[in-house]
């Protein structure tokens, strides 16, 4: 089956330029902290995916349906309302970590944090590592 085209793909745009444009200043400062944290945990260089997601690592997937593609392994986006933190393939098995994280909301693969002061960054580090380890059991994770 032909490979489906994801809408969210690496753009080649500068991550530093993107981070420099984040507003307000408090959100930009949190985004810089997140960038440093993701770099430290993943040991991957960041890549801008789509207009606003900073991704670390990538994986190739192929579902039973035949749909296949590549996507970021983990990352974040400093959105206006909250930081969106992406753990692939999702948060279903991480309740024991989320319970210690602090103030947050989450969907299937996205964690929402208003500001980093609301959460424990050591626990977030643990969550990022656990997410990558879980993903690597399904699909190989590679540098971007």
């Amino acid at each position: 089956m032909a490979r489906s085209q994801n809408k969210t793909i690496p753009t080649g745009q500068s991550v530093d330029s993107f981070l420099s444009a984040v507003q307000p200043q408090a959100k930009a400062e949190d985004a810089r902290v997140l960038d440093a944290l993701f770099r430290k945990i993943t040991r991957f260089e960041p890549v801008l995916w789509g207009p606003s997601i900073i991704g670390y690592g990538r994986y190739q997937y192929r579902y039973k349906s035949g749909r296949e593609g590549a996507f970021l392994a983990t990352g974040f986006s400093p959105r206006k309302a909250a930081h969106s933190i992406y753990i692939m393939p999702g948060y279903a098995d991480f309740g024991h970590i989320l319970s210690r994280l602090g103030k947050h909301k989450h969907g299937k693969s996205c964690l929402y944090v208003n500001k980093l002061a609301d959460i424990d960054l050591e626990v977030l580090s643990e969550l990022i590592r656990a997410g990558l380890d879980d993903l690597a059991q399904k699909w190989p994770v590679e540098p971007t």
Side-chain angles (χ1 to χ4, degrees):
M1 174 175 262
R3 178 181 273 197
S4 298
Q5 294 297 318
N6 285 331
K7 292 180 183 178
T8 305
I9 59 172
T11 65
Q13 298 293 320
S14 166
V15 170
D16 283 332
S17 294
F18 171 75
L19 288 172
S20 294
V22 172
Q23 291 295 322
Q25 187 60 36
K27 180 81 62 183
E29 290 168 7
D30 276 0
R32 291 280 183 191
V33 170
L34 284 171
D35 177 46
L37 182 74
F38 274 90
R39 287 176 191 244
K40 178 182 174 186
I41 299 304
T42 67
R43 297 187 181 135
F44 296 138
E45 288 297 313
V47 170
L48 196 62
W49 289 70
S52 63
I53 299 174
I54 302 170
Y56 303 81
R58 64 185 282 148
Y59 67 100
Q60 301 282 337
Y61 61 85
R62 182 180 174 108
Y63 299 131
K64 289 180 183 179
S65 68
R67 186 179 195 289
E68 61 183 291
F71 203 62
L72 60 113
T74 191
F76 75 97
S77 180
R79 305 224 185 253
K80 185 176 181 178
H83 293 287
S84 297
I85 300 170
Y86 302 97
I87 301 292
M88 307 304 170
Y91 288 96
D93 297 327
F94 300 122
H96 64 288
I97 300 173
L98 290 169
S99 67
R100 296 181 285 117
L101 182 62
K103 186 177 175 185
H104 70 278
K105 295 179 183 178
H106 69 87
K108 181 176 172 140
S109 295
C110 194
L111 178 76
Y112 304 101
V113 175
N114 291 334
K115 58 187 182 292
L116 295 187
D118 291 341
I119 63 169
D120 183 324
L121 292 181
E122 289 299 318
V123 175
L124 179 59
S125 297
E126 181 183 344
L127 184 61
I128 294 165
R129 180 79 263 150
L132 282 173
D133 291 346
D134 184 56
L135 178 62
Q137 291 180 25
K138 295 171 180 58
W139 296 288
V141 175
E142 57 192 37
T144 41

